[in-house]
Amino acid sequence: MRTRSALVYTVLRLLAFFVPFGIFMLFPIMREYYWLSAIFAALIGLSLSMIFLRRPLEEVTSGLAERRTRAKDERSDEDVEDEVAHGPDAAPDRPQP
């Protein structure tokens, strides 16, 4: 996963919440009911992120999936040492590639 893509997605999601929240707080009635402003801002932020932030979300999730499969594919040093020392059947409980 690229750190940059995760950071960009996080910043955009935060902006999608805080910009509407700040606009709502400009109205005197919404200052009194700040919790209602937060709910509306969350709903607006969710809607905006579902519409406009699909590509950054896909980049982050594909990076996470790639990182996870890469971690599964790597074998430990102990497995490699056992295979060299005792042959390919040294660790029968571990899957062989």
Side-chain angles (χ1 to χ4, degrees):
M1 174 180 77
R2 293 184 188 151
T3 306
R4 182 180 182 278
S5 61
L7 183 65
V8 166
Y9 180 71
T10 303
V11 168
L12 291 174
R13 282 293 304 259
L14 288 172
L15 284 174
F17 172 77
F18 282 115
V19 169
F21 185 72
I23 291 171
F24 281 132
M25 293 309 287
L26 294 175
F27 299 111
I29 189 72
M30 294 308 258
R31 280 188 219 139
E32 190 174 329
Y33 298 108
Y34 63 90
W35 55 272
L36 193 59
S37 297
I39 291 173
F40 287 152
L43 291 174
I44 291 170
L46 178 66
S47 301
L48 289 175
S49 67
M50 288 177 68
I51 294 170
F52 296 112
L53 298 181
R54 286 188 186 197
R55 185 175 296 151
L57 177 62
E58 288 175 2
E59 289 176 9
V60 171
T61 55
S62 66
L64 286 172
E66 178 183 312
R67 187 174 174 187
R68 187 173 186 165
T69 57
R70 196 175 344 135
K72 284 183 180 180
D73 290 342
E74 294 176 0
R75 297 187 315 176
S76 68
D77 289 340
E78 297 165 351
D79 291 338
V80 174
E81 289 171 0
D82 288 343
E83 185 175 329
V84 169
H86 304 290
D89 297 328
D93 57 333
R94 296 188 179 129
Q96 297 294 326

